[in-house]
Amino acid sequence: MDPTSKRPPPAASSSTTYPPLPKLEILNPSALPSHRFLRPAKRINEGPDVSHFLTSKAYRDIGVWILQLNHALVPRIIKKSTTASTSEPTKDEQQRRQQKAEEANEQQQPPPPPPPPTYALAAKLQSLRKKKDEQQQPTEEIKTFPLPRYRDGEGVDHQEEPESIKKLQRLLKKVEAIIDEAPPDPGPRRFGNVSFRTWFKLLEERADGLLREYLPDGVLRWEQSAGGEKKEEEEGTETETETETEGDSDKKTNEQKQVVGPLEELKAYFLGGFGSAQRLDYGTGHELSFIMFLGGLWKLGGFEGEEKDEDREVERRIVLGVVEPYLRVIRRLILTYTLEPAGSHGVWGLDDHSFVPYIFGSAQYTRPISSPNEPTPLEGSVPNASKPSDITKPTAVERYRTENMYFSAIGFIYDVKKGPFWEHSPILFDVSGIKDGWGKINKGMIKMYNAEVLSKFPVVQHFPFGSLFQWEKDPEAGVPAQSVHMQNQPVASAASAAVTGGVGIPTERPSGPGGVTGTAAPWAQAPAQAPGAGMAPPMTATPWARSTGAGAGVGSSAANRFTPFKPAGGPGGAPHTGPPPPESFPGGTPGTASNQFAVTKAPWAK
């Protein structure tokens, strides 16, 4: 297919069969009675850790979950069942059949000639008119999934929502109500309002009770299972022999401290989804934490009907009924406490605080599919969808922001920023010029999310890892590919020590001299490294982008959809690092004080 074609590709035939699309694994408490929940810990402490993260099981699960939610919002083509015109005989046909039956019963003489067909012409015209109407009547309809209308924090258009979705909506309503208990500080300030720390402290104090009250019932089954397992482990500890060494005992005690219940593990992702009380900011990393909080609920079987849902109705309700209300709570927090953007690129970033509404919102407008397992279209738009260029028109944004997540996020930008749109949001302005439809925008947003969120150290450094989203390497991870996004990651010096994960879980790097902990500052790296030495390994192509056909979830061009940009460079694909270092130094011997003085001397001070 020519990517420059302006016409959307035709929908696939309904007779085409596709293999099932990937889904996030659902754990079974009866099949996994020995599952051990762990307290999530920080593992990404410097640049090379990002490379490991891109090959981990957690990264695989994040990608599968994002694509799973994205595909649920793609419009569907619904086939209509039409009734044939000959399914029920007309009155004329009934009279004709009855007449033939009477003539057959007589069996005496040949039947008289039929009367002149005065009614036959009228019946034929009626039949032709009915057939024409059936041909003009559409045999299929397109079903889209707009945002529901909300009142008091709950969707009024979805009265039959599952109880698990209603519980999460009430949970978000309780979280939002805490804002009234911590009014913003009226004093002068330059950055975020310090009252946000009061709000966050109240949320931390009430988190256990809120989660226990409003989490779906399916998660509480794991709480009972984990409690029994923890009790057995404590009883087993009392019967340990005295022959074990002191080091083995300390190691076992440390491991036992990390074993927690499911609510404790989920709480780390829940609290991480509402910004940083220390830095008074909120960004895409916090947004990722809440999305994976929902992913953890999915893994624990917290949503009704998730195992038997073929059309992804459950995932659709999660996005429209939980993610969108969550974003509305976040926007109120940002406006109330003037939270700073976390990890933002400033004017050259897509958005100061959020990313997923642009993914899910573009999916709402992409070309419809005819089968639940049909891959997400890479081009085209649903008929009668708004144009991408409408985001530059405030009146159009106000009209569409109540039905589409993309325009809802754009509307918030208009609420907080003034001036020309191309000036304060140049990246979104450039995206608005795409002519290949919302499918092309959706493809680009997912690719950008992988590069600008999942592959950036400032964004993912605070993401914790436990038993639900594991730090262990994915055995099916793809071959690493060179990426421009991984060239400037911070790297600690060779003398730095093992960095703890914030709760006592160290990384796998050996301890340095002196037992110093913490990540070394970027300017404190060891000098005189060869070009390329100390750099992070190249980024890995997303594991969920491995395509063996249509069943990969994103079509046959999935690899191109997620494979990062490869910069031009020298042999082997390595980027150019500039001219080689000079062979001689005019001011003295390299590494000496005289040379340092000579190198840093001003040009006019000769």
Side-chain angles (χ1 to χ4, degrees):
M1 183 189 304
D2 184 7
T4 62
S5 176
K6 296 183 179 180
R7 298 182 59 185
S13 174
S14 59
S15 60
T16 306
T17 57
Y18 300 93
L21 296 175
K23 278 191 174 185
L24 191 62
E25 178 187 12
I26 301 176
L27 305 179
N28 190 342
S30 59
L32 296 172
S34 61
H35 182 83
R36 300 176 61 188
F37 291 93
L38 302 176
R39 182 176 288 105
K42 174 180 169 65
R43 293 297 190 114
I44 302 177
N45 298 284
E46 55 186 34
D49 295 337
V50 179
S51 300
H52 179 88
F53 164 66
L54 296 175
T55 61
S56 66
K57 294 181 179 179
Y59 177 73
R60 174 201 62 193
D61 291 344
I62 291 172
V64 171
W65 182 236
I66 292 291
L67 291 181
Q68 184 176 339
L69 298 178
N70 178 75
H71 188 269
L73 295 174
V74 177
R76 264 54 169 180
I77 297 177
I78 308 299
K79 298 292 183 180
K80 289 184 177 181
S81 59
T82 58
T83 303
S85 59
T86 58
S87 58
E88 295 183 1
T90 63
K91 292 183 179 180
D92 296 336
E93 292 176 347
Q94 292 177 359
Q95 294 177 358
R96 196 179 299 115
R97 292 177 184 177
Q98 185 178 0
Q99 183 180 3
K100 289 182 178 180
E102 293 176 353
E103 293 174 353
N105 293 333
E106 293 179 357
Q107 296 180 357
Q108 293 179 356
Q109 57 183 0
T118 55
Y119 63 91
L121 181 60
K124 187 174 182 180
L125 290 176
Q126 183 180 2
S127 176
L128 292 175
R129 191 178 298 111
K130 186 176 181 181
K131 185 176 181 180
K132 182 179 179 181
D133 293 340
E134 290 179 352
Q135 291 177 351
Q136 293 178 350
Q137 183 179 5
T139 59
E140 60 185 23
E141 63 179 356
I142 297 177
K143 185 177 180 180
T144 58
F145 309 105
L147 291 174
R149 293 181 294 113
Y150 286 95
R151 183 174 61 237
D152 298 332
E154 296 186 7
V156 298
D157 290 343
H158 294 264
Q159 299 295 340
E160 299 181 357
E161 284 184 343
E163 186 63 24
S164 57
I165 300 296
K166 292 182 178 179
K167 280 190 171 183
L168 292 175
Q169 290 176 350
R170 299 187 191 111
L171 172 63
L172 292 172
K173 187 178 177 181
K174 287 286 186 179
V175 171
E176 185 178 8
I178 303 178
I179 299 178
D180 299 330
E181 303 180 33
D185 185 6
R189 61 188 181 277
R190 181 180 179 186
F191 301 107
N193 197 299
V194 293
S195 294
F196 178 69
R197 291 172 180 156
T198 304
W199 177 89
F200 197 88
K201 183 178 180 180
L202 292 174
L203 180 62
E204 281 184 315
E205 294 173 352
R206 304 176 187 179
D208 290 331
L210 290 175
L211 293 179
R212 197 173 299 277
E213 180 179 0
Y214 292 107
L215 282 189
D217 297 334
V219 179
L220 301 180
R221 296 178 302 170
W222 289 91
E223 180 74 10
Q224 300 173 356
S225 176
E229 179 190 349
K230 193 173 181 180
K231 183 177 180 181
E232 292 177 1
E233 291 181 356
E234 292 175 354
E235 294 177 353
T237 305
E238 297 177 358
T239 59
E240 290 179 351
T241 60
E242 300 179 357
T243 57
E244 62 181 3
T245 63
E246 183 178 354
D248 294 338
S249 178
D250 294 341
K251 181 178 179 181
K252 198 164 195 176
T253 302
N254 187 38
E255 292 178 354
Q256 290 172 351
K257 289 181 179 179
Q258 308 309 322
V259 178
V260 295
L263 297 186
E264 188 71 20
E265 182 165 349
L266 289 171
K267 185 176 73 171
Y269 300 100
F270 174 73
L271 293 176
F274 293 95
S276 171
Q278 178 182 7
R279 299 181 301 274
L280 302 178
D281 62 7
Y282 174 88
T284 52
H286 304 107
E287 179 186 67
L288 171 65
S289 183
F290 186 83
I291 294 297
M292 299 320 296
F293 164 72
L294 299 177
L297 296 180
W298 175 277
K299 276 193 148 189
L300 298 180
F303 299 99
E304 298 93 338
E306 58 186 9
E307 296 181 354
K308 301 179 180 179
D309 183 23
E310 296 181 357
D311 195 33
R312 306 204 171 186
E313 177 66 23
V314 177
E315 295 95 315
R316 195 174 303 126
R317 294 180 183 272
I318 292 174
V319 177
L320 301 179
V322 181
V323 176
E324 177 63 20
Y326 159 76
L327 293 173
R328 290 190 289 109
V329 173
I330 291 300
R331 289 161 189 165
R332 185 182 174 189
L333 287 173
I334 293 172
L335 293 176
T336 303
Y337 301 111
T338 59
L339 299 181
E340 292 292 311
S344 172
H345 293 284
V347 70
W348 296 111
L350 182 72
D351 188 287
D352 285 342
H353 300 96
S354 298
F355 204 113
V356 295
Y358 299 100
I359 297 177
F360 300 147
S362 58
Q364 289 177 281
Y365 280 158
T366 193
R367 176 178 63 81
I369 58 178
S370 57
S371 171
N373 290 324
E374 182 180 346
T376 303
L378 304 182
E379 290 182 352
S381 301
V382 67
N384 301 323
S386 63
K387 299 179 181 179
S389 58
D390 286 343
I391 66 173
T392 61
K393 306 172 184 177
T395 55
V397 172
E398 284 298 319
R399 182 166 63 251
Y400 294 118
R401 68 184 300 179
T402 58
E403 64 180 45
N404 181 266
M405 297 183 68
Y406 195 101
F407 280 85
S408 178
I410 296 293
F412 183 69
I413 293 179
Y414 277 104
D415 294 340
V416 299
K417 295 184 178 182
K418 306 300 179 183
F421 188 84
W422 60 266
E423 187 173 271
H424 59 66
S425 302
I427 302 300
L428 287 169
F429 181 79
D430 291 343
V431 173
S432 68
I434 292 179
K435 304 298 183 181
D436 293 332
W438 288 100
K440 185 68 171 289
I441 294 177
N442 182 253
K443 178 186 70 173
M445 287 297 171
I446 296 178
K447 184 177 180 180
M448 185 184 295
Y449 189 80
N450 176 64
E452 298 297 334
V453 176
L454 301 181
S455 302
K456 289 300 180 68
F457 174 81
V459 180
V460 299
Q461 62 174 324
H462 301 293
F463 186 84
F465 300 85
S467 68
L468 296 176
F469 305 105
Q470 302 177 14
W471 177 249
E472 285 73 14
K473 182 179 177 62
D474 178 17
E476 300 180 359
V479 179
Q482 180 66 34
S483 170
V484 69
H485 301 286
M486 295 295 296
Q487 295 180 9
N488 297 318
Q489 303 284 12
V491 182
S493 63
S496 64
V499 183
T500 61
V503 289
I505 300 181
T507 61
E508 298 180 357
R509 294 184 299 277
S511 300
V516 182
T517 60
T519 305
W523 55 83
Q525 298 179 11
Q529 288 186 348
M535 293 176 59
M539 192 181 73
T540 306
T542 52
W544 60 85
R546 297 188 294 272
S547 175
T548 58
V554 289
S556 58
S557 59
N560 295 331
R561 181 172 183 176
F562 293 98
T563 303
F565 170 75
K566 297 182 179 180
H576 292 296
T577 57
E583 298 180 357
S584 61
F585 295 85
T589 306
T592 62
S594 60
N595 176 61
Q596 291 290 336
F597 178 79
V599 171
T600 57
K601 185 182 296 184
W604 58 84
K606 295 181 179 179

